[in-house]
Amino acid sequence: MDILIARSGDDYFVADNKCPHMGGNLSQGTLEGTVITCPVHHSKFNLKNGEVIRWTDFTGFKLTISKLFKSPKSLKVYEIKLENGSVFAELPY
């Protein structure tokens, strides 16, 4: 299991590190506030709840075809607990 741990200000987030669109490595993407952008097709997800903000940077016909083959799917995020300066998350096996 490949996990992403991100920090924005005083907030920490734990999520799957693989983009649900095409498996891009989210740790290589960009973080703006609570929004992580995949470096592959620029899919955007809210790390607070995994919500899809943008599925891909494709437009027009290419976007329509892309959604037919792989419909938008939320990013899996995990609840965290901060304890004595450490970040803990309950992860599935």
Side-chain angles (χ1 to χ4, degrees), residues 18-55:
K18 291 192 180 223
C19 176
H21 178 231
M22 296 293 283
N25 183 342
L26 293 175
S27 69
Q28 300 297 312
T30 56
L31 179 64
E32 293 179 41
T34 64
V35 177
I36 188 78
T37 301
C38 178
V40 180
H41 294 114
H42 306 111
S43 300
K44 291 186 177 207
F45 304 91
N46 186 332
L47 288 173
K48 286 183 178 182
N49 55 18
E51 172 188 25
V52 177
I53 295 170
R54 178 176 69 193
W55 188 235

Side-chain angles (χ1 to χ4, degrees), residues 78-89:
Y78 302 95
E79 294 212 22
I80 65 147
K81 182 170 123 179
L82 297 175
E83 191 173 289
N84 298 323
S86 296
V87 177
F88 296 91

Side-chain angles (χ1 to χ4, degrees), residues 54-68:
R54 178 176 69 193
W55 188 235
T56 178
D57 61 356
F58 299 156
T59 59
F61 183 70
K62 195 172 181 182
L63 175 61
T64 302
I65 294 298
S66 170
K67 285 183 177 180
L68 288 175

